[in-house]
Amino acid sequence: MAVIRTVIRGVGASLPKRIMTNQEMSSIVDTTDEWIAERTGIRQRHIASDNELTSDLGIAAARQALVRSGIDPVEIDLVICATATPDRTFPATAVKIQHGLGVTKGAAFDIQAVCSGFVYAMATADNFLKTGQFKRAIVIGAETFSRILDWTDRGTCVLFGDGAGAVVLEAQPQHGTREDRGILSTIIRSDGRYEDLLYVDGGPGSTKTTGHLRMNGREVFRHAVQKIHGVIEETLIQTGYTADEIDLFVPHQANKRILDGIARKLGVGPEKIVVTLEKHGNTSAASIPLALNEAFESHRIKEGNLVLMEAMGGGFTWGAVLVRW
Ligand code: UT7
């Protein structure tokens, strides 16, 4: 039976030039390279300059993805930006990116699911494309988390970085089998009971300020392993695949120990996991597309590969996307 699937046509990324190493971090807060590397896997992160906005990073990533896709910006009719660090409270950063790319038709909007934002945005775009409402989309994950960090809190400021990644998506007719190219499954979940474990203590509607990120790291860690593993199991059951059939595992990059824990539970070998933590830190909604880009540029991802993405973040929100590249 013929169906419409959402096929990934191109991927791109953008990182601020400035790199902050763990060594430099130890001159800001009471920490060491050893502690950060051992507990998280992070060695450095990129930090946006004052005049480098989330939209600038998003535009650069989307441009690269467009060039690689061979699709002209005038053919794009949907732009979704996943971000928790928008340029402004409104309008949506996606609309600014839409304009920056020269896209003038269709719709553009932001998605706010923090670190799960890219997974949420992929699920949203997939549903619009599959139903025929839009034909070609750009999904971007873009963040300048350095702006919402408390640079006196060593428990959080060492973890995050800035950056953006993007994919160009196209609705294409496929056969309706699990061998199809494109997105085969998306699952998104949330549970507001856990708000106080990971949040920003400000906002236009409460404090009228931006606020700073607050996290109970140990508790978030515990939930992350359980919830991510659960949603991956659901994805595998839904699509009839087994974990060893996955060619590439592209997880949200929060902590190397979380990735290792999930991989161990699934029985996925380290050669199948894309890890960018050591270079990027946790870039929230940007981490998965940045990792996809890294896998593409290092020729680890090939057409026909079965690629599993997953994320968990503030809210809590979590989810997974299974795609045949
Ligand atoms: O992307 C959204 C999802 N986010 C996550 O998934 C993050 C999940 N959580 C984590 O990755 C980890 O919990 C952290 C990396 C945040 C923390 O690692 P941990 O092993 O859970 O450490 P902890 O919070 O239990 O702290 C252990 C010790 C504490 O000292 P005491 O109380 O045992 O004396 C902390 O004060 O490590 C101390 N500590 C640090 N020491 C040096 C905390 N941060 C640092 C630091 N440098 N940067």
Side-chain angles (χ1 to χ4, degrees):
M1 186 191 65
V3 297
I4 300 291
R5 297 259 194 215
T6 302
V7 172
I8 298 181
R9 290 282 309 265
V11 58
S14 170
L15 289 158
K17 275 201 184 61
R18 171 154 156 56
I19 290 173
M20 186 185 281
T21 61
N22 288 351
Q23 191 64 37
E24 189 181 348
M25 195 61 86
S26 68
S27 68
I28 300 171
V29 285
D30 181 16
T31 190
T32 59
D33 175 40
E34 293 71 39
W35 191 96
I36 302 171
E38 246 172 54
R39 305 306 294 167
T40 71
I42 299 165
R43 295 246 170 228
Q44 62 171 52
R45 70 287 292 145
H46 291 250
I47 302 290
S49 60
D50 288 346
N51 58 2
E52 210 166 10
L53 306 183
T54 297
S55 62
D56 296 324
L57 298 170
I59 289 168
R63 274 203 187 120
Q64 187 176 51
L66 272 169
V67 169
R68 287 174 175 166
S69 73
I71 291 174
D72 196 281
V74 299
E75 296 178 87
I76 299 293
D77 50 10
L78 177 65
V79 178
I80 306 179
C81 179
T83 186
T85 46
D87 291 5
R88 291 178 165 161
T89 302
F90 79 80
T93 302
V95 181
K96 203 161 168 191
I97 295 174
Q98 180 196 34
H99 176 58
L101 296 173
V103 176
T104 51
K105 66 178 179 189
F109 56 86
D110 285 357
I111 284 214
Q112 195 350 349
V114 210
C115 297
S116 315
F118 186 74
V119 167
Y120 268 62
M122 288 290 273
T124 307
D126 183 41
N127 281 299
F128 276 120
L129 264 57
K130 276 193 313 199
T131 55
Q133 195 164 347
F134 296 110
K135 190 92 183 76
R136 290 179 197 87
I138 303 181
V139 170
I140 304 131
E143 302 279 16
T144 47
F145 250 54
S146 59
R147 306 243 159 83
I148 55 165
L149 297 176
D150 175 351
W151 287 94
T152 65
D153 176 15
R154 68 176 182 172
T156 54
C157 74
V158 304
L159 304 174
F160 296 91
D162 302 334
V167 290
V168 174
L169 305 173
E170 185 176 53
Q172 288 185 4
Q174 296 280 320
H175 302 292
T177 70
R178 62 180 213 154
E179 278 74 39
D180 284 354
R181 274 194 81 192
I183 294 177
L184 301 173
S185 163
T186 63
I187 297 178
I188 54 172
R189 298 278 179 267
S190 62
D191 189 338
R193 283 177 297 173
Y194 303 108
E195 177 182 355
D196 291 345
L197 296 180
L198 177 52
Y199 64 101
V200 164
D201 63 3
S206 52
T207 57
K208 293 187 248 173
T209 63
T210 308
H212 293 112
L213 184 145
R214 305 291 171 208
M215 177 167 74
N216 180 335
R218 209 174 285 184
E219 277 299 297
V220 175
F221 189 109
R222 197 170 62 78
H223 281 281
V225 177
Q226 282 170 3
K227 291 190 161 41
I228 292 166
H229 182 254
V231 86
I232 291 174
E233 292 271 273
E234 258 188 86
T235 303
L236 294 175
I237 290 167
Q238 199 184 78
T239 53
Y241 281 107
T242 55
D244 52 284
E245 289 176 284
I246 294 163
D247 295 305
L248 211 59
F249 180 38
V250 188
H252 168 52
Q253 312 278 319
N255 187 316
K256 180 75 168 51
R257 289 184 294 138
I258 296 178
L259 307 194
D260 291 343
I262 294 162
R264 233 186 347 263
K265 270 183 157 213
L266 288 171
V268 172
E271 71 288 352
K272 288 189 175 180
I273 310 173
V274 181
V275 183
T276 54
L277 260 168
E278 71 279 13
K279 291 193 293 188
H280 303 162
N282 178 348
T283 55
S284 182
S287 87
I288 293 177
L290 276 166
L292 283 176
N293 184 66
E294 170 111 351
F296 173 79
E297 290 186 346
S298 59
H299 308 289
R300 283 184 73 187
I301 202 163
K302 296 180 188 69
E303 195 171 312
N305 277 174
L306 194 60
V307 181
L308 177 69
M309 309 166 211
E310 52 77 359
M312 189 265 195
F316 289 147
T317 56
W318 66 101
V321 176
L322 187 69
V323 59
R324 189 173 295 287
W325 198 261

